[in-house]
Amino acid sequence: LPLVSDAQASCVAKAVEFFSELVIEPIVELGLGETDLDDDDDDDSSTRCLVAWRILSKLSYGSKEAGGSRNASGSLIVALQKLLIHAGKEDSKSLAKNLFRAVYQACGTSLGLDQRSLSLE
């Protein structure tokens, strides 16, 4: 993730692309309703989503350590900014909305709330 601030544009592009595929896309699938964390039939998609959340949770631990991972949260901000800028105005709105929806759903699941009674609309 720290490579999103690299001086070489090709390195930045690859780092942002990898971050998007590994972390953002699985979380957006949850926001779109394409992934159900409680569905045992959807193991691959659920696993990808859980791994993405685990990676994000580890960033806060890494930012407290010395060395290259010290600026992990800053790199996360830069990566998200680059993704939203690259997506364009309309797509960035959709991306942000689905990310927020996924966070909302994950919070509801973590708190044991009935997802059917919760709505963002």
Side-chain angles (χ1 to χ4, degrees):
L1 195 55
L3 293 176
V4 299
S5 299
D6 196 82
Q8 290 186 349
S10 61
C11 185
V12 171
K14 285 291 186 186
V16 170
E17 178 184 345
F18 183 69
F19 173 72
S20 178
E21 288 178 16
L22 188 64
V23 177
I24 299 300
E25 289 175 13
I27 292 174
V28 167
E29 288 175 8
L30 176 65
L32 289 170
E34 296 175 4
T35 299
D36 183 0
L37 296 178
D38 297 326
D39 186 5
D40 292 335
D41 295 335
D42 195 14
D43 284 340
D44 184 47
S45 193
S46 295
T47 300
R48 285 184 42 182
C49 190
L50 291 171
V51 167
W53 284 114
R54 192 167 294 128
I55 289 169
L56 286 178
S57 74
K58 296 297 180 186
L59 288 177
S60 66
Y61 296 121
S63 63
K64 297 174 185 152
E65 298 174 5
S69 62
R70 180 176 53 198
N71 198 18
S73 57
S75 296
L76 173 62
I77 292 168
V78 171
L80 286 172
Q81 287 173 338
K82 290 182 183 298
L83 280 172
L84 291 171
I85 290 168
H86 181 71
K89 187 175 182 179
E90 289 304 314
D91 287 341
S92 66
K93 286 180 183 179
S94 176
L95 176 62
K97 182 178 179 179
N98 288 318
L99 284 171
F100 284 126
R101 185 175 285 139
V103 169
Y104 181 81
Q105 289 176 354
C107 290
T109 301
S110 296
L111 295 171
L113 301 174
D114 184 5
Q115 294 295 312
R116 293 168 293 191
S117 64
L118 301 174
S119 175
L120 280 176
E121 304 303 324

